[in-house]
Each structure stands twice: as structure tokens, then as C-alpha cells.
Amino acid sequence: MKERKIKNIFLQGAIDPGFIAGSIAKHSTKTDIGGHSIFLGQVRADVIEDKQVSAIEYTAHEEMALARMAEIREDIFAKYPLTCMHVYHSLGSVNAGEICLFVFTSSAHRKAAIDSCEETVERIKAELPVWGKEIFSDNSYQWKENR
Amino acid sequence: MKERKIKNIFLQGAIDPGFIAGSIAKHSTKTDIGGHSIFLGQVRADVIEDKQVSAIEYTAHEEMALARMAEIREDIFAKYPLTCMHVYHSLGSVNAGEICLFVFTSSAHRKAAIDSCEETVERIKAELPVWGKEIFSDNSYQWKENR
Amino acid sequence: MDGLTIQVFGQLTDIVGAASCAVERVDDTESLKTLLFAKYPLLKQKKFMVAVNNRIVKENTPIGEVANIALLPPFSGG
Amino acid sequence: MDGLTIQVFGQLTDIVGAASCAVERVDDTESLKTLLFAKYPLLKQKKFMVAVNNRIVKENTPIGEVANIALLPPFSGG
């Protein structure tokens, strides 16, 4: 197995819009970038059998998730001419309306940024050992299923 | 010709990351949203025959651009199940490393948000009467060409 | 009779030397082009579209009494 | 001989009643599954993958001396 640099992607609780702004602002010194693509996952207040989701509680097999994310990052950088990629995923409780996933890719031209962002989001959803528990307003819950 | 609501998309100068954060934060009350897709155009410090781009000065036929943007918005909303769409484009001078275009789409599910954002960006680049003048550090310039 | 004021954009402003130019009134967009090419020969080498009353016209189009006219070179926004 | 500690995730925690469970040591993942199904019959109805030392294994796989084992139901992150 190759040695990969393992970066933490997990943040406790919701991802603040101010954090996203800070991440964008840091790229102003990288003047070879022409386009950024950002995906944000937001917790929906789905109604399931008359009960409304008020939050999702995320847990992960962190060690496996970070190792797999390092592989995904390596694959994406091999496939697209990216300047950089940043990924953050919430752990713990995230309320409906709050941000739980932040994927951010940058490239000289828009196509690579846009395509790599979408592919990274799909792979994160399919491949990272992360689980969401949908908490209803009456404190009952069900386990989230990705489609 | 149908009556369309004309929204202004033009901002004077660069688009501040704090403005983007504010726009994201406003969506926390829309709890039917599950995914946001954002594209940001950033001014590249391209080097052309030994001269480096230090800024782009944008001008537009504003009335025509806003009317066309209203058509694009209508088409995109007809094609994708979107919760909302926001578009901002700079006018005047934007320095290398600063943001000149901000396209932001939101939907219950990620696919519609991602696809509509990309399509909107492509249409903005192809269809809006906007022009960029690349200013070099020695104050000479050339007119930008989209590819 | 008033003349026409033509708005110009992008690199066409370098040829015209301003963001607009005044020409004598003509009946249609083909006559306008002939007039402009005579006045600004460099325009002939440039790609541009003509907008009459904020609509891009590809065929020869009459220019009415209160027409506003714009010359639009290839777009380069974003 | 020490037993094995099995980490469980997602909806499997509802069946096991905790984020991990302890079982006696077994030689391979098939024996482990047999043991777990006997102890937690509801597990049989659930889809999950087994990870040995942080690698998902699809075939029957030996469980070594210092193995860490995890049961992973379908992912639902993002």
C-alpha cells in the first residue's frame, strides 16, 4: 500500500458559512485559479409518516473514512488538472437547514473544477463509512439511507 | 414577449467571500433544500507575452444582459426542480485572485443543483453581453476572449 | 432630423474611440453597416452583432424612429 | 486468550445495543458471522460488510492476533 498523506475532513457539528467564506478567501493568493466549484450538503427537514426531521447525527469509522478519502483525493488529482481540493464533513448533530458537507475544488478552467467536484461528492456518498441518524422532533429517529 | 421579472445581477467590483457566506446563510430557513451547488469565477493572473494580467475590467450592455439572464433563469427553472438560483457578475475592475462571477443553485437533491449550476454558468458565458478587458501590470491591455 | 447614436462595446470601443458614436439616420441595419464601415474601416475586420432596441438582429432590419442601436463583439464575461 | 472486540456502526448499534461488542476469539470472518448471528439473530436481516484491520473483506478472511474488526452497514454520509 502506498503512503498517503491523511488529512482530517471531519468537523464537529454544522459547517458555518463563515468557515466556507474563509476557505474561499484563502484562494485569492492562488492567481492561477480561474474557477471554483463548491458543493454543500444541507440537512433537509423531511417529513416521514407525519414526523419531521429536526437534525441528523453523523457518526463515522473515522480511520477508514480518512484513508478512503485520501485514496479518492489521489484518484481525482490524477484524473483532473486541479489546483486544490478541500473536503469537510460534519460529525455529531447537524440541525435541519445547516450544512453537513462542503466539497471545494479549484482549477485554472471551470470544466475540471466542476466535474471533479461532482465526482468527489458522488464518491464521498458511496464510499465513506459515515452514517446519518435522522432525529425527529419528538426525539424518535430512523437511520438515513442514501439514494 | 412574456413579462419577466428582471433581477439585477451586477455588482460593482469584486465579489467578497463574506457576501457569498451571507447568501449561503440565508438558505438555512429553507429546510426543503438538500444540496447547493456554487460556481465561482476568479480572475487569473495569466502571463501573455511576458506580461501578467493584474485585473479584468468588465463592462456590459446591462439592459440586454439582464433581460437575457431572466430568460436563462426561466429556462433553468422549467428544466430542473430548483428551490432557488442566485447569480452575480462583477462590473468594473476585479483584481487577479478576486471573484468576478457567483452562480448559486439549490435543490432538494444534489443532481438538480449540480447540473443546473453548470448549465447556467455555460449559458452566462455564451449568452450575456459582457466584456472583459485584461489589464496588464504595465497598464497595457487586451480584450479577453472566452473559450 | 436627428442622427443615430450607436452604442459600441468591448474591443469596438478601441476602433470608435468611445463608448458610442453618432451617425446620420439610415433606414436599415445594412445601410448602417455600410456607413460605419466607411467611417471606421477597421470595423470590417471585426466580428460583431447588431442589436436594435435590445434585440440581436441577424437579417437586414428596419431602423425605426426611436431605435436604440448597439454593436456587440463576441462576449467574454464570467 | 483475550476475546475480540467488534466495533459496530449505524443501525447495527440498535441491534447490539452499543457501539461495540465483545465475543470469544475465532479464526476467521465466517466463524465470526456464525457466532454473531447466534448472539444477535436480528443481524441476519441486515446488510453489512466486515472490515478487518480497516479493510473491507468480501471473502472469508483469517482473523489474526491483533485484528480490529468492524461491522459496516450501508453508508449514508453527506
Side-chain angles (χ1 to χ4, degrees):
Chain A
M1 198 165 63
K2 269 195 284 185
E3 186 107 8
R4 286 193 188 83
K5 194 177 148 205
I6 302 288
K7 290 172 83 165
N8 188 24
I9 64 167
F10 291 113
L11 294 175
Q12 206 60 37
I15 298 167
D16 189 73
F19 177 83
I20 297 164
S23 189
I24 294 168
K26 276 183 203 153
H27 291 75
S28 65
T29 55
K30 299 195 175 179
T31 56
D32 52 342
I33 292 173
H36 304 286
S37 186
I38 293 173
F39 178 82
L40 302 174
Q42 181 168 303
V43 173
R44 269 197 320 276
D46 280 350
V47 174
I48 297 154
E49 289 170 12
D50 286 343
K51 294 196 288 186
Q52 191 171 44
V53 172
S54 62
I56 295 182
E57 254 176 52
Y58 288 101
T59 48
H61 191 310
E62 293 188 48
E63 204 178 334
M64 286 185 72
L66 297 181
R68 175 56 74 114
M69 189 63 229
E71 288 179 36
I72 295 171
R73 178 186 302 275
E74 191 173 275
D75 289 349
I76 296 285
F77 269 93
K79 184 167 172 185
Y80 299 97
L82 291 190
T83 310
C84 42
M85 171 197 287
H86 305 280
V87 172
Y88 298 95
H89 195 299
S90 294
L91 288 184
S93 185
V94 180
N95 292 325
E98 294 184 321
I99 307 291
C100 56
L101 174 62
F102 171 28
V103 178
F104 183 10
T105 54
S106 309
S107 182
H109 299 285
R110 65 187 179 282
K111 186 84 182 132
I114 290 170
D115 291 351
S116 64
C117 186
E118 178 168 15
E119 189 168 327
T120 303
V121 170
E122 294 303 324
R123 292 195 61 181
I124 284 169
K125 295 227 174 208
E127 298 176 30
L128 294 199
V130 176
W131 297 272
K133 186 180 184 177
E134 294 173 319
I135 313 291
F136 298 107
S137 33
D138 65 357
N139 285 321
S140 62
Y141 67 86
Q142 74 171 18
W143 291 94
K144 182 171 175 267
E145 285 179 22
N146 275 359
R147 43 147 152 176
Chain B
M1 198 161 66
K2 268 194 284 183
E3 186 107 7
R4 287 194 187 81
K5 195 177 149 206
I6 302 288
K7 289 172 83 167
N8 189 25
I9 65 167
F10 291 113
L11 295 175
Q12 207 58 39
I15 298 166
D16 188 73
F19 177 83
I20 297 163
S23 191
I24 295 167
K26 276 183 202 152
H27 291 75
S28 65
T29 55
K30 298 194 176 180
T31 54
D32 51 343
I33 293 173
H36 305 286
S37 185
I38 293 174
F39 178 81
L40 302 174
Q42 181 167 305
V43 173
R44 271 198 319 275
D46 280 348
V47 174
I48 299 155
E49 289 169 13
D50 287 342
K51 295 195 290 187
Q52 192 171 44
V53 172
S54 62
I56 295 183
E57 254 176 52
Y58 287 101
T59 48
H61 190 309
E62 293 187 49
E63 204 178 332
M64 287 185 70
L66 297 182
R68 176 56 74 115
M69 190 63 229
E71 287 179 35
I72 295 171
R73 178 187 302 275
E74 192 172 274
D75 290 350
I76 297 286
F77 269 93
K79 186 167 171 185
Y80 299 97
L82 291 190
T83 311
C84 43
M85 172 198 288
H86 304 280
V87 172
Y88 297 96
H89 195 299
S90 294
L91 288 183
S93 185
V94 180
N95 292 325
E98 293 184 322
I99 307 291
C100 56
L101 174 62
F102 170 29
V103 177
F104 183 11
T105 54
S106 308
S107 183
H109 298 284
R110 65 187 180 281
K111 185 85 181 130
I114 291 170
D115 291 351
S116 63
C117 186
E118 177 167 17
E119 189 169 327
T120 303
V121 170
E122 294 303 325
R123 292 196 60 180
I124 285 169
K125 298 228 172 207
E127 298 177 30
L128 294 199
V130 176
W131 297 273
K133 187 179 183 177
E134 294 172 320
I135 314 291
F136 297 109
S137 36
D138 66 356
N139 284 319
S140 61
Y141 66 87
Q142 75 170 18
W143 290 93
K144 181 169 175 270
E145 287 178 19
N146 275 0
R147 42 147 153 175
Chain C
M1 280 285 281
D2 286 347
L4 286 169
T5 301
I6 315 292
Q7 284 185 281
V8 299
F9 291 91
Q11 56 184 292
L12 306 185
T13 59
D14 287 350
I15 292 172
V16 168
S20 67
C21 62
V23 297
E24 60 208 76
R25 188 162 277 278
V26 287
D27 289 337
D28 55 38
T29 53
E30 278 310 311
S31 316
L32 176 68
K33 278 193 198 168
T34 306
L35 196 72
L36 287 167
F37 289 158
K39 196 167 175 183
Y40 306 105
L42 289 171
L43 268 188
K44 278 184 254 183
Q45 301 160 26
K46 295 293 176 187
K47 273 185 69 174
F48 63 88
M49 295 185 291
V50 178
V52 178
N53 293 331
N54 295 338
R55 311 203 122 248
I56 289 164
V57 298
K58 307 233 157 133
E59 310 288 305
N60 189 20
T61 300
I63 295 175
E65 207 35 46
V66 291
N68 76 66
I69 316 267
L71 307 187
L72 314 174
F75 308 152
S76 56
Chain D
M1 278 281 284
D2 285 345
L4 284 169
T5 300
I6 316 292
Q7 284 184 281
V8 299
F9 291 91
Q11 55 183 291
L12 305 185
T13 59
D14 287 350
I15 292 172
V16 168
S20 67
C21 63
V23 297
E24 61 208 75
R25 188 162 276 278
V26 287
D27 289 337
D28 54 40
T29 52
E30 278 309 312
S31 316
L32 176 67
K33 278 191 198 171
T34 306
L35 196 70
L36 287 168
F37 289 156
K39 193 167 177 185
Y40 306 104
L42 287 172
L43 266 188
K44 278 187 253 182
Q45 300 159 27
K46 296 292 174 186
K47 273 186 68 175
F48 63 88
M49 295 185 291
V50 178
V52 177
N53 293 330
N54 294 338
R55 311 204 122 247
I56 289 164
V57 298
K58 306 235 158 133
E59 311 286 306
N60 190 19
T61 300
I63 294 174
E65 205 38 44
V66 290
N68 74 67
I69 314 266
L71 307 187
L72 314 173
F75 309 151
S76 56

